[in-house]
Amino acid sequence: MTDKSLPKLDWRVVFNRAVPPGSRGWGRVRAAQLKQMGPAMTVAAWGQAFNALLICYMLQGEAPPTAIALWLFSVSLLMLYFAQQQRKLRGREIHSLPRPTINRATYHSVFVGLVWCFPARFFFEHATHGQQLALCVITATMMAGAAFVFAPIPAAAAGYVIVMGVGCTRMLMTSDSWMISAIGPVYTAGLLVMVTINGRAFMQRKCLDLALEEREQTVSLLLREYESSDADWLWQTNAQLCFQNVSARFARAIGRSMEELEGLSLIDLLRELPRSDQGARRALAAAETRMNGREAFTELVVGFPVDGAVKCIELSARPTFNKQGRFSGYHGVGSDVTGAREAADRIAHMARHDALTGLPNRLQLLDNLDHALGQARRSGGQCAMLLVDLDRFKSVNDSLGHVAGDHLLKEVSRCFETVISDEMTAGRLGGDEFAIVVPQVESHEEVEQLCLALITALQGPFLYRDQRLLVGASIGAAIGPADGDTVEELMRHADLALYRAKEGSGNDIRFYEPALHARAEERRRIELALHNAMDAGEFTLAYQPLVDAQTSQIKSFEALLRWHHPELDQVPPAKFIPIAEETGLLGRIGEWVLRTACREAASWPEDITIAVNVSPRQLRDPGFIVTLVSALTQANLAPERLELEVTETVFLELTNATQKALNQIQSLGVMLAMDDFGTGYSSLGYLRRAEFDTLKIDRSFVSSISAQDPESTAIIRAVVALAGSLGMKTVAEGVSTEEQLQLVRQLGVDKIQGFIFSRPVTGSTVKAMLGQNRKLAAA
């Protein structure tokens, strides 16, 4: 035992004022202190009896008999009390004691010291010089004895020594020498130091004893558990590597009988086992090599067929040699690690598979893609990476909840199994984005056919609680190694193709092409520039008039956002609006457009209205209605002079918050217009979700209208009739020729917007237009 192994105990711990920091079970040390004092107290009792009788005999005739009798009676009572306490403690097994118990022992020792100070206080002055010397010797002897008797409890020993030291010092002070008088305090201080040292040593030693005892109990418990369990067992072989002294547990663990194993070669046993994978074959070969070289081997995991299942057994062994240094066999240990192996396999599966769908995750997909790329490079072939993003998945999540969304993702994952071959890998990257690794590709057309089959399968419908869910998918494809020689490059290029596919209306397929890099770089520059465009004052508004179809009088204007950047020049809204929406900047930009348009319109005649486009994301913003009211109030613009234009996509992502916003807009008196009506996912049911004031016929129908295109004409006629029956006005967008103008007039459109009357103009030009007769001539 070294000093470093001893616990550090300061004076507060030694004198029962505190416990060591971080210690547990300190009550066991206190119990050991009290237990250790038991035998010593018996010896101390006999010593006190002898000293009491000696003092009484020595002082008879000198000290008052009554005082001697009273003192002797007190000593007798003390001895009886301690004898009774000893009987109570005898035979009791005390495992732990609280701090107050040790404090009571200290109080008892102080009381004993007071009783034994009585002779020094009341008998000393009646004694002769020889008797006084004897009293000093007896007192000093009892102080020294107490320093050892009470050593297990330093606080008790210190209390006794201090009280007796005071009595001894008083006796010595009767001499005329200050040196003799100083002996008392010095002697007392020396004993206190000894008490502290002995007490600390006892407590440190007891701490170590208890720690060793606890460790022995733990080891014994583990050994008993080891002996009673089937988890581990011992085995041994002779010099010929044949099993000997086979235990029943070993035989039972590997599914053999003891008789069958006795004398069987270890190498032959291992050779009989199935070698299912390359890793197992390598491990068994390495172990056989070590056994042939008479070397130790550890953690050899082999699979033993037992009762129709495979048990994973881990074997470790070391060679043994006789006194002559000759090999005498192996002594080893075996463990059943089947449960641990199964848990490890589950963890490995979880690390490489998606928890929701069970499909391979990003890590597994990238590994498979890396393998496919390497194989393609070596064979001179091709592989492909397909990224699949579900269309309209967010609307399902928002309208029906995440449970419905999770159900849809599971159904989609099952669709992949019906389309892809066994060599391909379909996995989930996260959210509603999936990926497919095609390890062998013969041609571009083969990949395109696979993408078409995927889109067909993912169109659904998928059922959820009697509801039909319709989604679809956009797919981006990259073929390696032509489109990327590394995993990262091929993934990035497939992602660029997917981004291009998502720009369409859905169910689109795009293959990577180098031009996409230029588009991605342009998009990156636009995104960076957008963050400072608002503060730099680079945005302006242009206004395009909407005129009465019959009179050509200006009825309203549509506010159109324009962005002029010092380096990018004039950036079209079709390029920067989607980026602003993706980056979360559209809310701030949209608020600026709304406030600016309202301020401008407030300076126009009261019969002229202003139309402002609003995105679905703005409507979902909880603060949009507050912003709308604030813009109208600050501009002092009447609500009926403002018209908000929304597209049909707002209903594809319709949530309770969006529906509430539409209702609040109408309750304010602000007009609503459905922009680009007739495109995308038009449904007459959308018109029931909100009371629209205007339907704007998409320019795609207007641009194709002619006497030779009866389909577009029929569509516009139907929209006008529908709007009229619902009490709505109609606007024809994009009218640019005289023929289109005449046809839409004949079809009964209420308002016309297009280059035929005016391009978008500045605010000052608007005021000039309104200052004239407000009638515009067709160009």
Side-chain angles (χ1 to χ4, degrees):
M1 182 174 64
T2 64
D3 291 341
K4 292 183 178 180
S5 64
L6 294 174
K8 303 299 182 182
L9 305 178
D10 60 18
W11 68 270
R12 294 176 303 167
V13 177
V14 173
F15 290 100
N16 198 40
R17 298 294 94 195
V19 296
S23 65
R24 294 183 300 172
W26 193 251
R28 297 175 63 199
V29 176
R30 299 191 192 100
Q33 289 178 284
L34 193 63
K35 183 179 179 181
Q36 189 70 21
M37 278 190 59
M41 287 298 296
T42 303
V43 176
W46 286 108
Q48 289 189 34
F50 175 78
N51 287 335
L53 293 175
L54 179 61
I55 290 175
C56 291
Y57 175 76
M58 183 176 61
L59 295 178
Q60 64 177 348
E62 301 294 337
T66 305
I68 292 177
L70 181 62
W71 176 73
L72 187 60
F73 179 71
S74 299
V75 172
S76 302
L77 288 178
L78 275 178
M79 293 178 64
L80 288 173
Y81 173 76
F82 286 121
Q84 183 181 7
Q85 294 298 315
Q86 283 292 101
R87 281 197 300 272
K88 287 182 179 180
L89 295 176
R90 191 177 295 118
R92 288 181 59 187
E93 195 68 31
I94 303 175
H95 299 287
S96 180
L97 286 176
R99 185 189 299 177
T101 303
I102 300 299
N103 289 338
R104 283 197 297 272
T106 303
Y107 304 149
H108 292 162
S109 68
V110 171
F111 185 71
V112 172
L114 291 174
V115 170
W116 278 95
C117 275
F118 192 86
R121 173 66 180 83
F122 296 101
F123 298 163
F124 186 79
E125 58 190 14
H126 300 290
T128 63
H129 288 291
Q131 292 170 342
Q132 289 178 345
L133 180 59
L135 278 175
C136 288
V137 172
I138 291 172
T139 302
T141 303
M142 293 188 68
M143 289 173 64
F148 290 96
V149 170
F150 292 140
I153 305 181
Y160 181 85
V161 168
I162 291 173
V163 173
M164 292 288 284
V166 171
C168 182
T169 302
R170 186 184 182 285
M171 288 189 292
L172 295 174
M173 287 177 63
T174 57
S175 68
D176 296 332
S177 173
W178 65 268
M179 292 186 63
I180 295 176
S181 300
I183 292 175
V186 173
Y187 181 66
T188 301
L191 288 178
L192 288 175
V193 172
M194 186 184 302
V195 164
T196 304
I197 294 173
N198 290 341
R200 180 183 284 114
F202 172 81
M203 297 170 79
Q204 288 174 327
R205 187 169 61 253
K206 188 53 62 178
C207 284
L208 290 177
D209 291 344
L210 292 175
L212 290 174
E213 180 183 343
E214 186 175 326
R215 190 176 302 172
E216 289 175 359
Q217 290 174 354
T218 302
V219 171
S220 299
L221 179 63
L222 291 175
L223 287 175
R224 286 196 300 272
E225 183 179 350
Y226 174 81
E227 292 295 333
S228 62
S229 70
D230 287 338
D232 304 281
W233 58 88
L234 302 175
W235 57 272
Q236 66 181 78
T237 71
N238 56 22
Q240 288 72 41
L241 300 182
C242 294
F243 288 108
Q244 61 183 19
N245 300 324
V246 177
S247 68
R249 290 166 56 199
F250 178 37
R252 184 169 59 251
I254 65 174
R256 304 289 183 95
S257 65
M258 295 172 58
E259 295 75 14
E260 186 180 359
L261 285 177
E262 194 72 34
L264 178 65
S265 170
L266 173 60
I267 292 181
D268 290 342
L269 175 65
L270 296 179
R271 285 175 178 173
E272 294 175 4
L273 298 177
R275 306 189 179 198
S276 55
D277 57 78
Q278 187 175 1
R281 289 193 292 271
R282 283 200 301 265
L284 288 171
E288 189 173 334
T289 301
R290 284 187 166 274
M291 283 186 276
N292 290 330
R294 305 306 188 245
E295 299 176 3
F297 60 90
T298 59
E299 299 179 354
L300 170 64
V301 179
V302 291
F304 287 91
V306 180
D307 297 331
V310 176
K311 294 183 71 173
C312 294
I313 305 298
E314 183 181 88
L315 300 176
S316 299
R318 61 177 181 82
T320 58
F321 301 89
N322 58 22
K323 294 182 180 179
Q324 290 75 33
R326 295 178 180 175
F327 174 71
S328 58
Y330 275 102
H331 283 187
V333 62
S335 304
D336 186 350
V337 295
T338 305
R341 271 305 175 99
E342 291 175 350
D345 291 342
R346 285 195 298 271
I347 293 172
H349 184 273
M350 291 168 60
R352 290 181 169 269
H353 289 78
D354 177 56
L356 177 64
T357 62
L359 294 176
N361 61 10
R362 180 182 293 271
L363 179 62
Q364 184 65 51
L365 283 166
L366 294 182
D367 281 353
N368 289 11
L369 180 59
D370 185 48
H371 178 73
L373 266 175
Q375 195 173 33
R377 282 192 295 265
R378 289 189 296 271
S379 64
Q382 297 182 110
C383 64
M385 183 64 172
L386 311 181
L387 295 184
V388 183
D389 190 88
L390 299 183
D391 300 328
R392 300 182 296 281
F393 174 76
K394 189 176 185 303
S395 63
V396 174
N397 240 2
D398 292 342
S399 59
L400 299 179
H402 291 286
V403 176
D406 290 347
H407 173 80
L408 179 58
L409 291 175
K410 293 177 184 177
E411 292 297 313
V412 166
S413 66
R414 295 189 185 98
C415 281
F416 290 126
E417 300 175 3
T418 64
V419 177
I420 68 173
S421 63
D422 294 337
E423 294 78 17
M424 303 177 190
T425 304
R428 182 183 176 211
L429 297 176
D432 62 340
E433 190 172 353
F434 297 83
I436 298 174
V437 177
V438 186
Q440 293 182 347
V441 172
E442 296 296 333
S443 64
H444 185 283
E445 290 73 19
E446 178 189 351
V447 178
E448 187 172 10
Q449 289 301 318
L450 174 61
C451 293
L452 289 172
L454 285 169
I455 287 178
T456 302
L458 295 176
Q459 281 181 338
F462 301 98
L463 295 180
Y464 174 73
R465 295 181 180 177
D466 299 329
Q467 297 193 54
R468 293 160 56 89
L469 306 180
L470 300 172
V471 281
S474 299
I475 301 177
I479 298 177
D483 292 339
D485 196 42
T486 64
V487 171
E488 294 77 11
E489 192 176 10
L490 199 61
M491 278 286 292
R492 186 169 63 252
H493 290 171
D495 194 51
L496 289 174
L498 175 63
Y499 185 81
R500 182 75 178 90
K502 288 166 64 177
E503 289 179 350
S505 57
N507 291 333
D508 202 357
I509 303 168
R510 284 288 184 270
F511 283 83
Y512 170 75
E513 53 190 34
L516 293 179
H517 263 306
R519 291 172 58 89
E521 177 61 23
E522 182 187 34
R523 184 185 185 281
R524 187 188 67 82
R525 294 180 63 194
I526 290 174
E527 182 178 339
L528 291 174
L530 265 177
H531 285 80
N532 299 319
M534 179 77 72
D535 297 331
E538 296 169 2
F539 289 125
T540 58
L541 288 183
Y543 304 90
Q544 188 172 28
L546 284 75
V547 303
D548 185 277
Q550 303 304 322
T551 66
S552 300
Q553 291 281 338
I554 298 174
K555 294 297 182 180
S556 62
F557 287 87
E558 180 181 358
L560 300 172
L561 181 62
R562 296 292 182 261
W563 178 25
H564 182 81
H565 187 266
E567 296 178 3
L568 301 175
D569 201 27
Q570 198 73 29
V571 185
K575 284 188 176 181
F576 72 82
I577 292 295
I579 297 175
E581 188 163 10
E582 290 179 17
T583 56
L585 296 172
L586 190 59
R588 186 180 173 210
I589 296 174
E591 180 179 349
W592 179 85
V593 170
L594 181 63
R595 292 183 182 277
T596 304
C598 288
R599 283 197 303 269
E600 186 70 29
S603 63
W604 302 342
E606 293 186 357
D607 59 334
I608 303 299
T609 61
I610 182 71
V612 178
N613 290 279
V614 178
S615 72
R617 180 165 294 186
Q618 286 178 273
L619 292 177
R620 290 196 299 270
D621 184 359
F624 175 73
I625 298 300
V626 176
T627 302
L628 175 60
V629 173
S630 173
L632 291 170
T633 303
Q634 291 182 2
N636 196 23
L637 183 71
E640 59 271 14
R641 294 186 60 198
L642 174 64
E643 185 173 60
L644 298 181
E645 296 185 5
V646 297
T647 61
E648 294 171 326
T649 56
V650 74
F651 296 105
L652 295 177
E653 303 175 5
L654 188 64
T655 63
N656 292 334
T658 307
Q659 184 67 63
K660 182 180 178 181
L662 291 173
N663 296 337
Q664 289 176 325
I665 289 170
Q666 292 171 322
S667 64
L668 289 172
V670 175
M671 294 183 292
L672 276 177
M674 181 178 283
D675 198 10
D676 302 333
F677 185 75
T679 62
Y681 310 96
S682 296
S683 170
L684 298 180
Y686 296 155
L687 300 179
R688 299 167 55 192
R689 304 288 181 90
E691 297 178 2
F692 286 93
D693 300 280
T694 305
L695 291 182
K696 300 189 73 173
I697 302 169
D698 187 67
R699 66 181 63 247
S700 61
F701 298 111
V702 174
S703 62
S704 61
I705 190 174
S706 67
Q708 290 75 33
D709 186 6
E711 291 183 1
S712 296
T713 302
I715 291 175
I716 295 178
R717 182 181 291 112
V719 172
V720 171
L722 173 66
S725 64
L726 295 176
M728 302 178 188
K729 298 294 185 181
T730 52
V731 175
E733 293 183 291
V735 178
S736 57
T737 66
E738 183 65 30
E739 180 185 10
Q740 294 170 356
L741 175 62
Q742 296 304 323
L743 285 173
V744 295
R745 278 176 171 169
Q746 293 172 13
L747 292 172
V749 172
D750 297 299
K751 295 180 184 178
I752 296 172
Q753 178 181 2
F755 292 171
I756 188 70
F757 286 110
S758 173
R759 291 178 177 273
V761 298
T762 63
S764 58
T765 304
V766 169
K767 293 177 182 178
M769 285 181 174
L770 296 176
Q772 301 169 0
N773 60 6
R774 303 186 191 176
K775 186 174 181 178
L776 296 180

